[in-house]
Amino acid sequence: MKITIFDRIPRETLESKIGNLEVVSIEDGPQAVFLRSTDLKPIFKRMGGLGRYIFAICRAGSGVDNVPIDWCNQNGIVVLNAPGANALAVRDSVVEAMIRYSRKTVAARKKVEEYLRDVLRTGKNNPEETARALDGFRGGFVGKELKGKSILVIGLGYVGKIVAKTCLFFEMTVYGYDPYVLSENTPGVIRINSFDQIPPCDFVTLHPSLTEETGGMIKDSFFEKIQKPFVLLNFARGEIIDEIAIRSAIEGGKVKFYISDFGNLYLYSLFPDQTEFTPHIGGSTLEAQKRALEMVSDQFVNFWRSGSVLNSPNLPAFDVKPKKSANLRLLISNKSVPGVINGFTDVLRDRNYNITGFHYNEDPSGEWAYNVVDINNASTDVEKAVEEIRRVPHVTKVRAIIL
């Protein structure tokens, strides 16, 4: 199998899951692509013809904003990802950020570093005097504990749910908002049904996926409902927050401090003492990277062997087992327009192929389809049948799995 690997993904991990691989450059037309952060959009814009070779793009992570989903749909390419693989890592970052803010550790560290640098610069190193000076700094950095504080978790998917659970462990009062997650899946969390019900909170943390719906969702109408100044944490995506709205919220005292995993020069230039940014490292741990790669590799193996899909942003999840009598499975991607199914089933009928199973799936837009067709009397001319189906108008990709 030909694959292309980006972002220093270890080949040995993939071979342990998939088997023998031929690693090729993207220009050589791989059958699958594995990546973490490389932006594929300009690559495929420049080399759009590669779509006829690629069957799957495997993102070893949750977000797929670096993958051209529309282009993949047009070329019948399944996109696989690993949602939740970095949930523990992001959880750690959120809790660490709350503790760092509450205990004033950044300011305390800077104060100590300034003093020690001054001692080194002057060469006046008196151990007893230094110890007294450092001990004297303590009074300026008395912090607060998380116990008894309140937090609103927006987005209760993989990450938000484990953040909420951990905050409960810290004996915090935890509120949650997510219109798509049932309340029974988040025990102990006090659910709110709309932003009109935002309770007074010490912290608000954001964990929705970035979609058309959630882009810019934290805006003026959200901040207008705030009853108590709070610390805002964003380890989801920078685009979820309207930066003009948060500027007004900081200026108006509704947001005391903004901690984000996504740098923002505009906000930092205005509020250097009320903002803190990190370079998108919230989910970056060795364990999370390993977990994500193993998850997406297992999914690819399942997809390649059976056509089943578990986690995909451009297809619903499904796992359909073929009947024991089937000896061929065809995976057919196409534009969802009238006549396509008749077109490829006519090819099968003309070859006297007997269909024993047919499963139709659509992408979230309903514009693209993915069909799984099982046959129990396929002959030796399978390759010719595949070629004929490829020529059916609006068919974008065909793959045959011999059972």
Side-chain angles (χ1 to χ4, degrees):
M1 176 187 295
K2 288 184 175 183
I3 70 165
T4 294
I5 300 174
F6 290 104
D7 306 310
R8 299 181 182 177
I9 286 176
R11 173 176 179 161
E12 56 270 20
T13 300
L14 298 180
E15 286 187 325
S16 70
K17 297 282 186 179
I18 302 170
N20 293 329
L21 300 173
E22 180 184 355
V23 179
V24 300
S25 67
I26 192 70
E27 293 86 355
D28 292 331
Q31 295 165 293
V33 177
F34 285 80
L35 74 152
R36 286 196 177 104
S37 58
T38 294
D39 189 355
L40 294 181
K41 293 177 181 178
I43 295 175
F44 291 139
K45 186 176 182 179
R46 188 174 71 251
M47 296 182 287
L50 290 172
R52 66 180 181 273
Y53 303 107
I54 301 171
F55 289 93
I57 292 177
C58 307
R59 160 80 165 99
S62 55
V64 289
D65 45 319
N66 57 334
V67 178
I69 299 296
D70 289 342
W71 180 85
C72 290
N73 286 335
Q74 293 164 16
N75 287 277
I77 299 170
V78 174
V79 179
L80 303 173
N81 64 341
N86 65 352
L88 292 173
V90 177
R91 182 275 312 272
D92 290 355
S93 296
V94 171
V95 173
E96 187 269 341
M98 289 195 295
I99 293 173
R100 190 172 68 239
Y101 172 82
S102 300
R103 298 303 302 274
K104 305 180 182 180
T105 54
V106 173
R109 177 178 58 79
K110 288 181 178 178
K111 183 69 173 178
V112 171
E113 288 176 350
E114 288 171 2
Y115 179 84
L116 295 178
R117 278 197 296 267
D118 189 57
V119 170
L120 291 172
R121 180 180 57 80
T122 60
K124 298 177 180 179
N125 183 17
N126 183 315
E128 291 184 1
E129 184 178 326
T130 297
R132 282 195 300 271
L134 294 179
D135 192 59
F137 295 153
R138 287 195 302 168
F141 301 103
V142 177
K144 296 180 179 180
E145 299 174 357
L146 293 184
K147 179 181 178 179
K149 304 303 182 292
S150 56
I151 184 170
L152 170 62
V153 181
I154 297 177
L156 293 166
Y158 292 101
V159 177
K161 187 158 55 175
I162 198 167
V163 168
K165 184 177 180 180
T166 303
C167 290
L168 288 169
F169 175 80
F170 275 92
E171 299 182 65
M172 300 177 72
T173 299
V174 182
Y175 299 93
Y177 170 79
D178 193 320
Y180 302 105
V181 175
L182 298 175
S183 57
E184 52 260 39
N185 293 330
T186 54
V189 177
I190 303 168
R191 298 294 291 271
I192 65 172
N193 297 319
S194 76
F195 289 158
D196 292 330
Q197 302 172 330
I198 296 176
C201 286
D202 298 290
F203 299 93
V204 173
T205 182
L206 307 177
H207 300 289
S209 300
L210 179 61
T211 64
E212 290 185 7
E213 180 184 3
T214 61
M217 69 181 293
I218 306 302
K219 51 190 175 183
D220 286 332
S221 58
F222 171 84
F223 292 114
E224 288 169 0
K225 308 297 182 182
I226 298 303
Q227 304 177 47
K228 173 184 176 180
F230 66 96
V231 176
L232 180 60
L233 304 111
N234 181 10
F235 286 83
R237 282 291 186 272
E239 297 87 342
I240 288 172
I241 295 181
D242 183 309
E243 64 179 21
I244 303 301
I246 192 175
R247 171 184 176 171
S248 299
I250 295 174
E251 289 174 338
K254 293 199 170 186
V255 173
K256 294 190 294 185
F257 203 86
Y258 177 47
I259 301 173
S260 175
D261 201 27
F262 311 94
N264 187 305
L265 181 61
Y266 171 73
L267 293 176
Y268 178 77
S269 67
L270 295 170
F271 312 107
D273 297 325
Q274 290 175 274
T275 56
E276 185 178 288
F277 300 100
T278 46
H280 199 179
I281 58 173
S284 295
T285 63
L286 294 175
E287 295 88 347
Q289 289 184 351
K290 180 181 179 182
R291 196 180 300 120
L293 183 56
E294 289 179 347
M295 282 178 62
V296 80
S297 299
D298 287 340
Q299 290 179 69
F300 174 75
V301 170
N302 192 31
F303 164 74
W304 194 253
R305 292 176 180 172
S306 71
S308 298
V309 174
L310 179 56
N311 292 309
S312 172
N314 66 337
L315 278 178
F318 67 94
D319 185 10
V320 181
K321 307 297 182 185
K323 292 182 180 180
K324 291 183 179 180
S325 61
N327 66 346
L328 174 67
R329 169 165 281 190
L330 295 175
L331 308 173
I332 304 169
S333 301
N334 61 276
K335 190 173 180 62
S336 185
V337 295
V340 181
I341 293 177
N342 286 340
F344 65 71
T345 53
D346 283 349
V347 172
L348 301 177
R349 181 200 61 203
D350 291 346
R351 293 180 173 276
N352 292 316
Y353 279 7
N354 184 48
I355 297 174
T356 60
F358 186 96
H359 309 279
Y360 175 86
N361 303 274
E362 285 186 343
D363 81 306
S365 73
E367 187 177 357
W368 303 94
Y370 179 76
N371 307 277
V372 180
V373 185
D374 290 335
I375 294 162
N376 67 356
N377 64 337
S379 57
T380 56
D381 61 350
V382 171
E383 290 185 8
K384 292 182 180 179
V386 167
E387 285 302 318
E388 285 188 42
I389 293 173
R390 282 196 183 109
R391 292 194 291 269
V392 173
H394 304 295
V395 167
T396 56
K397 190 70 59 69
V398 186
R399 182 162 70 93
I401 300 174
I402 305 300
L403 301 173

